[in-house]
Amino acid sequence: MSYNLLKGKRGIIFGALDPNSIAWKTAERVYEEGGTFVLTNAPIAMRMGQIKDLAEKTNSQIIPADATSLEDLENLVNQSMEILGGKLDFVLHSIGMSINVRKGRHYTDQNYDWTQKGTDVSAMSFHKVMQTLYKADAMNEWGSIVALTYMAAQRVFPDYNDMADNKAYLESIARSFGYFFGKDKKVRVNTISQSPTPTTAGQGVKGFDGFIAYAEKMSPLGNATALDCANYTVTLFSDLTRRVTLQNLFNDGGFSNMGVSDAIMDYFMKDE
């Protein structure tokens, strides 16, 4: 169901790879709500994914960009404003990568070159995106910038590895840069801490199926899906949340406030 929440709004969506991506679902929902946008991803990710299908479905243009490159980002922002016909109202940062996770290096045995690359892609890129937008004065007043994160930024999930550090840094950047964006430009900056979601990237984490099953049993409303996250993001892009900023917002079925659930207790007590 569409409510025209984003009619007339323009933006950029980073990170759509395939139909499992939260960014992909968000692009579909933004389009349904009347928003127009440019899609972007790293050139290598675009070769691996199906972003052209999404562009056709949403009448969007694609601008390849390495989110760690200031030159690419400046080109992306300038081209996006030209294509869309003005300043931007929303930006979604849905980017994350850990070479250590992908190659099975344990947290206590990091390859620090890989760690640094992952930090640059997963967290520092968010600062670079916002700095580029800020310097170009590319956001309309009451615009909204959202990045996706995970609760491993606050709690220990051993197999999430250095991605936990990346997400903690990402959330700090959102607060710190969000202050300046709010004070100087009246632009909101928030992060959404999503339930474990079976995206292409998420499934690369060791024990991910166990993450999902455990969170499902712990959460009174069950795990939030990629579509749930897309819907939540739409509300943050809309004018209904104009005073919400500097927040890390949990979209996780209640998991973040749980200590233990009946389902988990039943599992451990079943043999007694």
Side-chain angles (χ1 to χ4, degrees):
M1 183 180 294
S2 173
Y3 304 93
N4 281 326
L5 288 176
L6 303 179
K7 186 176 181 180
K9 293 191 181 295
R10 303 177 286 248
I12 301 174
I13 294 178
F14 287 81
L17 182 69
D18 57 41
N20 294 321
S21 306
I22 293 173
W24 184 294
K25 299 291 187 190
T26 302
E28 291 178 332
R29 286 294 294 118
V30 169
Y31 178 69
E32 290 168 1
E33 293 294 339
T36 57
F37 48 85
V38 164
L39 294 165
T40 186
N41 212 327
I44 186 171
M46 291 177 60
R47 289 195 295 272
M48 294 166 51
Q50 306 161 38
I51 194 171
K52 289 181 181 178
D53 296 337
L54 180 63
E56 290 178 11
K57 182 176 182 180
T58 59
N59 295 324
S60 304
Q61 293 194 41
I62 306 168
I63 302 176
D66 177 352
T68 68
S69 164
L70 287 173
E71 183 180 354
D72 279 15
L73 291 173
E74 288 164 5
N75 176 66
L76 169 65
V77 169
N78 290 332
Q79 277 200 46
S80 296
M81 288 193 289
E82 187 175 327
I83 290 167
L84 298 170
K87 290 186 181 184
L88 308 175
D89 300 290
F90 60 85
V91 174
L92 175 66
H93 179 283
S94 181
I95 305 170
M97 182 275 293
S98 167
I99 304 174
N100 284 304
V101 169
R102 199 165 66 217
K103 292 186 177 290
R105 289 293 288 264
H106 196 268
Y107 187 75
T108 59
D109 183 34
Q110 299 280 284
N111 177 317
Y112 289 117
D113 289 336
W114 295 350
T115 305
Q116 190 168 22
K117 179 64 175 175
T119 300
D120 198 17
V121 171
S122 304
M124 185 66 77
S125 66
F126 191 39
H127 194 287
K128 291 177 179 179
V129 167
M130 288 199 285
Q131 180 170 291
T132 303
L133 293 165
Y134 183 92
K135 286 187 172 182
D137 195 23
M139 297 293 295
N140 279 319
E141 285 193 354
W142 305 111
S144 176
I145 300 171
V146 173
L148 301 183
T149 185
Y150 181 55
M151 201 174 66
Q154 289 86 32
R155 299 187 190 178
V156 177
F157 291 80
D159 293 325
Y160 205 61
N161 208 307
D162 58 332
M163 275 304 298
D165 302 331
N166 294 337
K167 292 301 188 185
Y169 188 20
L170 177 87
E171 291 175 18
S172 179
I173 289 169
R175 290 186 295 269
S176 297
F177 214 124
Y179 166 75
F180 295 104
F181 241 134
K183 179 176 69 75
D184 299 337
K185 311 282 189 179
K186 285 191 169 61
V187 171
R188 297 162 280 159
V189 180
N190 296 288
T191 53
I192 295 176
S193 189
Q194 169 73 0
S195 297
T197 309
T199 62
T200 301
Q203 290 176 27
V205 177
K206 180 182 174 184
F208 190 73
D209 289 344
F211 272 14
I212 290 182
Y214 175 73
E216 180 71 23
K217 288 183 178 297
M218 278 286 287
S219 309
L221 295 180
N223 288 332
T225 66
L227 179 57
D228 291 330
C229 190
N231 285 327
Y232 197 15
T233 303
V234 164
T235 69
L236 290 174
F237 286 167
S238 79
D239 291 330
L240 300 178
T241 51
R242 276 193 167 192
R243 302 291 178 181
V244 180
T245 195
L246 312 185
Q247 302 301 308
N248 181 45
L249 301 161
F250 290 96
N251 186 53
D252 62 2
F255 179 88
S256 50
N257 272 327
M258 291 297 296
V260 72
S261 69
D262 290 339
I264 294 295
M265 288 299 292
D266 288 346
Y267 178 82
F268 284 106
M269 300 292 286
K270 63 186 179 183
D271 294 331
E272 292 191 4

